[in-house]
């Protein structure tokens, strides 16, 4: 299989995984793929995407507090375009890191 075809195949697989609503382990089991392969290709395609950019195109968005002060049980809400992510204090750091890493593939 050529490099281009392999990339296309994995881009399609990653898209299917993300649209499945399943966690990575379950999706991999159902599709007879290893979890390490899925993570490898997510990272590889993300890295290649970043390397192909000629200049830094990251956009910094100011964070402001709106309304009343947050209570300890209130989530942090991250909004980008039509996406909204609520992060609760109990969220495991690795989970948040994985979500942000995955989103970075689509940025």
């Amino acid at each position: 299989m050529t490099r281009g075809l392999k990339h296309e195949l994995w881009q399609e697989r990653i898209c299917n995984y993300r649209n499945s609503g399943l966690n990575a382990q379950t999706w991999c089991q159902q599709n007879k793929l290893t979890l390490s392969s899925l993570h490898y290709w997510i990272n590889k395609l993300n890295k290649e995407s970043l390397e192909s950019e000629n200049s830094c195109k990251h956009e910094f968005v100011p964070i402001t507090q709106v309304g009343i002060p947050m209570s300890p049980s209130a989530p942090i809400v991250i909004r980008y375009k039509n996406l909204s992510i609520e992060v609760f204090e109990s969220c495991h750091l690795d989970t948040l890191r994985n979500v942000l890493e995955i989103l970075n593939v689509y940025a």
Side-chain angles (χ1 to χ4, degrees):
M1 181 178 291
T2 67
R3 180 178 186 259
L5 288 176
K6 191 176 269 193
H7 277 67
E8 286 180 33
L9 173 65
W10 274 100
Q11 285 173 337
E12 184 177 328
R13 286 176 174 170
I14 292 167
C15 185
N16 289 338
Y17 154 64
R18 290 187 175 138
N19 291 327
S20 73
L22 300 172
N23 66 42
Q25 185 173 1
T26 303
W27 185 87
C28 286
Q29 287 172 347
Q30 289 182 0
N31 289 276
K32 298 181 181 9
L33 297 168
T34 64
L35 187 59
S36 60
S37 292
L38 177 63
H39 286 234
Y40 170 82
W41 278 97
I42 287 172
N43 290 328
K44 180 175 178 61
L45 294 175
N46 183 37
K47 183 179 177 184
E48 288 177 2
S49 174
L50 291 175
E51 288 175 353
S52 70
E53 294 180 3
N54 292 332
S55 63
C56 182
K57 297 180 182 180
H58 297 287
E59 201 177 309
F60 289 96
V61 179
I63 299 174
T64 57
Q65 183 174 332
V66 179
I68 60 173
M70 287 182 59
S71 72
S73 62
I76 295 172
V77 179
I78 301 169
R79 289 189 180 92
Y80 178 72
K81 297 184 181 179
N82 64 343
L83 179 68
S84 179
I85 301 172
E86 293 184 9
V87 182
F88 290 86
E89 185 177 6
S90 61
C91 178
H92 193 274
L93 182 59
D94 287 336
T95 301
L96 178 59
R97 186 178 292 121
N98 288 338
V99 168
L100 295 175
E101 181 179 288
I102 291 168
L103 292 174
N104 195 26
V105 172
Y106 289 110

